[in-house]
Amino acid sequence: MSLCDRCISPGACCKKLRLYRESGEAVTFWLDEPIEEQLSKDELPFKPLDLVVECTDSETGRKYGVFDFMCPKLRPDGRCGDYENRPDLCRRFEPGSGPLCVHYQAEPAL
């Protein structure tokens, strides 16, 4: 049985998420281009919620930012409404493996 099957807050991980690269760096988006178009290049269905960080590229002057997103495919019961076609990002996520999951327990600092 998966942690998702006994989650205390089903769908919390998909109601407000931030995208990160494997290096741990937050994914940024140009603010002068539609975010949905930038997401569709990677076949990601997410919808932007909030701009969390805004920066300016020192070389070009273009603004970019980090956003929180939600998944529009989330069902009212907190489960994925398109599980068979979910993005690779979702397929690779291990319940409890990071702060996105309510079951995540950070290792104590040494």
Side-chain angles (χ1 to χ4, degrees):
M1 177 183 286
S2 166
L3 274 176
C4 292
D5 294 323
R6 58 182 197 271
C7 184
I8 59 172
S9 186
C13 53
C14 302
K15 289 178 185 171
K16 189 170 187 177
L17 59 104
R18 197 167 298 162
L19 302 175
Y20 290 92
R21 302 188 189 292
E22 287 188 31
S23 65
E25 178 184 4
V27 176
T28 59
F29 296 86
W30 294 114
L31 300 183
D32 60 355
E33 295 179 19
I35 293 170
E36 287 81 1
E37 287 180 18
Q38 294 174 73
L39 289 166
S40 69
K41 292 175 187 174
D42 293 318
E43 299 180 1
L44 296 173
F46 308 124
K47 301 292 180 200
L49 290 174
D50 302 306
L51 175 62
V52 182
V53 176
E54 182 177 320
C55 301
T56 302
D57 184 293
S58 60
E59 292 180 22
T60 65
R62 285 179 79 188
K63 293 192 180 298
Y64 62 95
V66 175
F67 285 82
D68 281 340
F69 295 91
M70 62 85 57
C71 183
K73 297 185 181 210
L74 187 65
R75 295 186 324 208
D77 67 357
R79 301 301 289 229
C80 182
D82 195 10
Y83 190 78
E84 293 302 317
N85 298 307
R86 68 195 188 281
D88 187 54
L89 166 75
C90 301
R91 290 177 187 278
R92 289 182 289 132
F93 184 75
E94 293 288 329
S97 65
L100 187 60
C101 179
V102 296
H103 293 282
Y104 175 69
Q105 295 181 3
E107 293 185 25
L110 298 177

